[in-house]
Amino acid sequence: MNDVLPYRTMAYNNAWANHRLLTACLGLSPDEFTAKRTGFFPSLRATLNHILIIDHFYVDAMEGGTLGPAAFADQEPCATVVVLKEAQAAVDRRLLKVVETLDGGGLQRIVSVHRGTSIQRERMDRLLLHLFQHDVHHRGQAHSMLSGTSVSPPQLDEFFAVGEAPLRAAEFVVLGWTEEGIWSSDAGA
């Protein structure tokens, strides 16, 4: 296994979990999506939009951008699940592109994170792990919130178990992925 493969597979798993969660949320009524719920953010819409804007913030920095705090200008840029699902898929594709172009040295590259009054410098590997942890944390909150709606929450606690590949095959077709593509140590190289 090469140094980059765990980060690549985490990025794919992150995108897959976002896809599964937002696909389930398509079954919510607008009122259920915006209803006040218990969590760090007061609704599913607020929680899922938070994941999106933080992804924009960090992925932009990983791409060499200077978006910085402008990412937070609108705390809920997506009013509907349909729009949010499209926007999240787009930033997930950007993150996949970032990790697909990494090599071992790229994991140690210093990323400038524009914080408004300062620039934080972090290694790429640490920033990726931070972003994955952030998304897992808030998806878990959204998952719990979804439990209190008419829609059953999807299973999100998997990491591409070999024996369960047939269970995700249809989703991978929709996403344009293959098992081999995710696990290939030379993909993107």
Side-chain angles (χ1 to χ4, degrees), residues 51-62:
I51 293 169
L52 175 70
I53 63 174
I54 295 301
D55 285 0
H56 278 296
F57 176 76
Y58 284 114
V59 172
D60 175 77
M62 291 175 197

Side-chain angles (χ1 to χ4, degrees), residues 5-22:
L5 187 59
Y7 297 91
R8 285 184 60 252
T9 56
M10 282 295 297
Y12 275 101
N13 194 264
N14 191 66
W16 181 48
N18 288 333
H19 170 79
R20 292 189 111 191
L21 183 58
L22 289 164

Side-chain angles (χ1 to χ4, degrees), residues 72-121:
F72 314 125
D74 184 352
Q75 293 291 307
E76 293 186 31
C78 300
T80 68
V81 179
V82 171
V83 173
L84 181 58
K85 187 173 186 293
E86 291 171 7
Q88 186 64 58
V91 75
D92 287 342
R93 286 190 298 273
R94 288 172 53 204
L95 180 57
L96 289 171
K97 186 175 179 184
V98 166
V99 298
E100 290 290 356
T101 59
L102 287 177
D103 57 18
L107 287 172
Q108 295 180 29
R109 177 174 65 87
I110 301 300
V111 176
S112 295
V113 181
H114 293 256
R115 297 253 177 216
T117 59
S118 66
I119 297 177
Q120 175 184 348
R121 294 184 181 8

Side-chain angles (χ1 to χ4, degrees), residues 148-178:
T149 72
S150 64
V151 174
S152 295
Q155 186 170 351
L156 299 179
D157 62 342
E158 295 184 14
F159 196 86
F160 302 139
V162 173
E164 295 174 352
L167 301 176
R168 62 183 170 266
E171 290 171 309
F172 275 27
V173 169
V174 169
L175 294 166
W177 301 347
T178 65

